[in-house]
């Protein structure tokens, strides 16, 4: 089923998790803007490639239901196979004038944002007349900012994901849906390219299913205030989070 929303897709494992989940649940975007020419695959080391290629078991309807996807699958053949209309942008920069023009003239009023990590949408993009649906890798409003799932693993032993409409304030848009996920069994070595992306994909599906059911973008928490803003985690703390379990600090 095609829907009246679009997808802004960077060449990342997160985009592949989203596509796999959308295909699995037959909720396809009406149009996709690809921010890359696919000349390069996602930046995975050999160890990460070996981990990513391993099939990870999950319950079909469980919290990790979206964990089985290929984080290195070529995007354009995938979009062609699904029959999804797409436009290929020459720039990876969503703020490039030519990219903003493509967004402005697109038909969908809501665009799922799966851009490159660390990029914040500036006012010029947010004022293009579209709403940007983003799934933050953290449970809002408690965990805002960067690499928050490592902090939540250390503090609570869980990961989170929250769907919001983006605003100028970091991770402060209205929350459409959110969910906490237990730490994967055996540790979180695959968090960056598998588990974080799978958690976001699960919440994205929850959000889109709710929209399909009621025909409007309903919010779980319209007033997204408070919480703590985190910054890129120190490598030692990251290693402790990967080992698993709260209270490692």
């Amino acid at each position: 089923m095609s829907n009246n929303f679009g997808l802004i897709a960077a060449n990342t494992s997160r985009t592949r998790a989203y596509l796999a989940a959308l295909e699995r649940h037959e909720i396809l975007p009406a149009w996709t803007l690809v921010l890359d020419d696919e000349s390069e695959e996602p930046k995975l080391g050999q160890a990460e490639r070996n981990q990513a290629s391993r099939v990870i078991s999950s319950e079909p309807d469980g919290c990790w239901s979206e964990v089985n996807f290929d984080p290195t699958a070529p995007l354009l053949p995938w979009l062609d196979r699904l029959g999804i209309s797409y436009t290929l942008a020459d720039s990876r920069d969503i703020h490039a004038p030519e990219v903003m023009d493509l967004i402005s003239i697109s038909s969908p009023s809501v665009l799922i944002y799966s851009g490159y990590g660390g990029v914040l949408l500036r006012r010029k993009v947010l004022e293009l007349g579209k709403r940007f649906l983003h799934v933050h890798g953290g449970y809002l409003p408690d965990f805002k900012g960067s690499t928050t799932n490592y902090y939540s693993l250390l503090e609570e032993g869980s990961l989170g994901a929250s769907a919001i409409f983006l605003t100028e304030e970091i991770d402060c848009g209205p929350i459409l849906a959110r969910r906490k996920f237990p730490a994967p069994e055996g540790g979180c070595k695959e968090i960056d390219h598998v588990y974080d992306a799978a958690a976001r994909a699960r919440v994205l599906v929850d959000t889109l299913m709710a929209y399909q059911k009621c025909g409007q973008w309903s919010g779980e928490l319209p007033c997204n205030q408070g919480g703590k803003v985190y910054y890129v985690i120190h490598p030692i703390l990251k290693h402790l989070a990967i080992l698993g379990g709260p209270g490692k600090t």
Side-chain angles (χ1 to χ4, degrees):
M1 177 185 296
S2 180
N3 297 273
N4 188 29
F5 64 84
L7 171 66
I8 297 177
N11 189 13
T12 63
S13 53
R14 186 196 310 169
T15 292
R16 288 157 173 81
Y18 285 2
L19 270 179
L22 295 176
E23 178 181 5
R24 186 175 296 119
H25 295 276
E26 299 182 344
I27 312 173
L28 301 181
W31 171 77
T32 295
L33 175 62
V34 181
L35 293 179
D36 195 6
D37 61 2
E38 281 210 290
S39 59
E40 299 179 0
E41 292 182 347
K43 304 296 184 183
L44 303 182
Q46 188 56 51
E48 290 173 314
R49 286 180 181 277
N50 292 339
Q51 292 164 352
S53 64
R54 186 174 73 244
V55 175
I56 305 170
S57 62
S58 64
E59 298 178 6
D61 298 318
C63 62
W64 290 116
S65 61
E66 310 309 324
V67 80
N68 288 312
F69 68 95
D70 181 356
T72 62
L75 287 181
L76 301 189
W78 198 347
L79 294 171
D80 286 332
R81 177 175 61 81
L82 294 178
I84 298 174
S85 173
Y86 65 86
T87 302
L88 192 60
D90 292 332
S91 175
R92 296 183 174 204
D93 182 8
I94 194 170
H95 300 103
E98 61 271 24
V99 176
M100 289 197 296
D101 287 343
L102 291 171
I103 293 172
S104 180
I105 64 175
S106 64
S107 296
S109 59
V110 171
L111 297 172
I112 298 167
Y113 179 64
S114 182
Y116 290 100
V119 177
L120 301 177
L121 298 194
R122 301 174 194 153
R123 180 178 297 182
K124 287 186 178 180
V125 173
L126 295 173
E127 292 180 346
L128 290 174
K130 309 293 182 181
R131 286 193 289 177
F132 296 90
L133 174 59
H134 171 61
V135 184
H136 168 68
Y139 191 80
L140 293 175
D142 301 342
F143 293 90
K144 297 179 178 179
S146 180
T147 58
T148 51
N149 269 327
Y150 288 109
Y151 291 103
S152 66
L153 280 168
L154 288 171
E155 295 182 22
E156 300 180 352
S158 65
L159 292 82
S162 308
I164 61 174
F165 280 126
L166 289 175
T167 62
E168 285 192 78
E169 297 76 24
I170 296 175
D171 300 329
C172 288
I175 299 172
L176 304 177
R178 57 184 176 167
R179 181 183 285 208
K180 289 186 178 182
F181 299 80
E185 294 182 6
C188 300
K189 293 181 180 180
E190 302 92 347
I191 183 172
D192 285 332
H193 293 288
V194 178
Y195 286 109
D196 178 78
R200 298 192 200 207
R202 177 66 256 176
V203 171
L204 176 63
V205 167
D206 290 346
T207 304
L208 295 176
M209 284 184 166
Y211 170 71
Q212 282 190 328
K213 183 176 181 179
C214 66
Q216 59 184 2
W217 301 98
S218 57
E220 178 181 330
L221 187 65
C223 186
N224 177 11
Q225 296 180 350
K228 182 177 178 181
V229 177
Y230 293 82
Y231 300 91
V232 177
I233 196 166
H234 189 280
I236 293 177
L237 292 179
K238 179 177 179 179
H239 179 67
L240 292 174
I242 288 172
L243 293 178
K248 293 295 184 180
T249 55

